[in-house]
Amino acid sequence: MNSLPTNKLFTNPNDFPDVDVYAVVGNPIAHSKSPAIHEQLAEQAQQKMHYGRIQAELGDFAKAAQSFFDAGGKGLNVTVPFKLDAQVFAGVLTPRAQLAGAVNTLYIQDGSIFGDNTDGAGLVRDLLAQGIPIQGARILLLGAGGAARGVLGPLLEQSPEQLIITNRSNEKAVELVQLFGDLAKNRSVNLASITFNDLEDPEKASPPFDLVINATAAGLTDQSPLSAAAAHHIFNPSSFAYDMVYGKTTAFMQQALQRGARVSDGLGMLVEQAADAFLIWRGADLSQMIDPRLILTQLRS
Ligand code: ATR
């Protein structure tokens, strides 16, 4: 007897007996762009597969993911609010998932469910594709939640000159500096935190920054985490402001534009993290066949 959920937002691998089946799990999930992105990746790499979506109820992630894998599903992407549940669910964590403290990609290997995290690699690849150098850059990272932690490792591995973390609740920024202290030291990065208040003081914040990344959830509510006073000196025309939120010019991006800085939303990061997950599932040798930047251009048109 098949006891899998039958609602429209549960992709049942049994419904696609001839192909490998993948899905993205989140809540809400109806408007996720991931199925469209993976459909294009599969087309580019000539892979026969199906990629659907699953809406899990809060607290029910493990049940939904287990049902999917039990029914023969090959891999899952995981989005808000389940990346921590996915980390707990995974039997084995890759080093970068461990460092990120979260999992956005699950796959089966040798009978175990592996958890990986491709978010940080996706951000780095999107920045580099946009011509934004990270090596030697002076970076300000806004936020110290899951999104910020997820990208810290890959950013530090690119050896910026300096990476300053700031967060509304300062103690979380201080914790992240401690957690990533060894990696920063290995890469000779000056890693430090600064309070929101001190960010307004040019003496303490030593602005402007080459790259300012908004990893807070403030963009979702049309607020900027930066006060007007802080934004005034943090950006100059050679700064690049990156908001992980996509689909709109956020208040944070507007502040940067007013100071003459260049801006980007996070759509490229979404596409690049998807491409990375796709290669994990289908084989790294397909990297020559896929073109994530073309998919990004199509999504923006
Ligand atoms: P996520 O996984 O998206 O990072 P999270 O772990 O809940 O979600 O973290 C949300 C982040 O956005 C935190 O850094 C949070 O700051 P606090 O730690 O002080 O809560 C930040 N954030 C959310 N709303 C914000 C706002 N209006 N202004 C500034 N920071 C905000």
Side-chain angles (χ1 to χ4, degrees):
M1 274 286 282
N2 181 356
S3 61
L4 290 179
T6 53
N7 67 55
K8 259 198 337 219
L9 288 175
F10 186 88
T11 296
N12 182 347
N14 293 321
D15 293 341
F16 306 90
D18 301 328
V19 292
D20 289 346
V21 179
Y22 303 86
V24 57
V25 192
N27 189 336
I29 204 62
H31 299 291
S32 169
K33 292 188 188 297
S34 291
I37 295 170
H38 279 274
E39 194 179 313
Q40 293 195 58
L41 288 165
E43 209 176 294
Q44 289 175 345
Q46 297 165 16
Q47 298 295 294
K48 274 186 74 183
M49 55 184 261
H50 176 79
Y51 186 106
R53 53 186 102 218
I54 293 175
Q55 179 157 310
E57 295 312 314
L58 302 185
D60 263 357
F61 173 81
K63 205 168 120 198
Q66 195 62 55
S67 306
F68 178 82
F69 282 113
D70 286 349
K74 297 289 183 201
L76 288 172
N77 279 143
V78 184
T79 187
V80 179
F82 296 124
K83 291 184 188 181
L84 289 179
D85 299 79
Q87 194 200 32
V88 174
F89 176 75
V92 186
L93 293 175
T94 62
R96 64 181 178 176
Q98 232 157 9
L99 202 57
V103 158
N104 80 334
T105 304
L106 292 163
Y107 57 98
I108 297 183
Q109 193 173 296
D110 305 328
S112 299
I113 294 180
F114 279 68
D116 199 350
N117 191 313
T118 65
D119 285 331
L123 171 66
V124 166
R125 269 211 308 282
D126 187 35
L127 287 168
L128 296 178
Q130 295 196 55
I132 306 305
I134 305 173
Q135 190 177 5
R138 300 184 63 245
I139 303 177
L140 177 67
L141 180 63
L142 310 175
R149 182 173 167 179
V151 299
L152 256 173
L155 283 173
L156 289 171
E157 274 162 12
Q158 296 292 312
S159 298
E161 177 190 317
Q162 188 181 51
L163 201 159
I164 309 293
I165 307 173
T166 188
N167 192 51
R168 186 174 57 183
S169 329
N170 182 51
E171 68 281 0
K172 281 163 73 180
V174 173
E175 270 172 38
L176 281 188
V177 169
Q178 278 166 359
L179 198 60
F180 286 83
D182 286 345
L183 179 57
K185 211 166 145 197
N186 285 342
R187 299 280 164 170
S188 308
V189 185
N190 173 12
L191 177 66
S193 63
I194 185 169
T195 64
F196 264 27
N197 275 346
D198 284 352
L199 211 52
E200 294 184 359
D201 181 348
E203 301 269 304
K204 292 181 173 146
S206 57
F209 289 88
D210 301 315
L211 174 59
V212 185
I213 299 168
N214 184 16
T216 72
L220 297 170
T221 54
D222 260 348
Q223 290 173 289
S224 171
L226 288 178
S227 67
H232 186 79
H233 56 250
I234 276 168
F235 300 117
N236 77 1
S238 59
S239 305
F240 190 79
Y242 192 100
D243 203 318
M244 287 196 197
V245 168
Y246 58 84
K248 60 180 174 184
T249 304
T250 61
F252 161 79
M253 288 159 74
Q254 273 157 12
Q255 286 174 323
L257 286 170
Q258 277 160 15
R259 302 296 297 154
R262 288 173 300 157
V263 302
S264 172
D265 73 354
L267 190 59
M269 175 178 169
L270 181 78
V271 173
E272 295 287 357
Q273 64 76 31
D276 212 10
F278 179 85
L279 294 176
I280 289 169
W281 292 331
R282 306 302 298 180
D285 52 319
L286 298 178
S287 66
Q288 299 305 314
M289 293 178 77
I290 62 169
D291 185 353
R293 304 317 287 181
L294 178 64
I295 296 173
L296 179 60
T297 305
Q298 283 165 354
L299 283 175
R300 289 208 191 278
S301 64

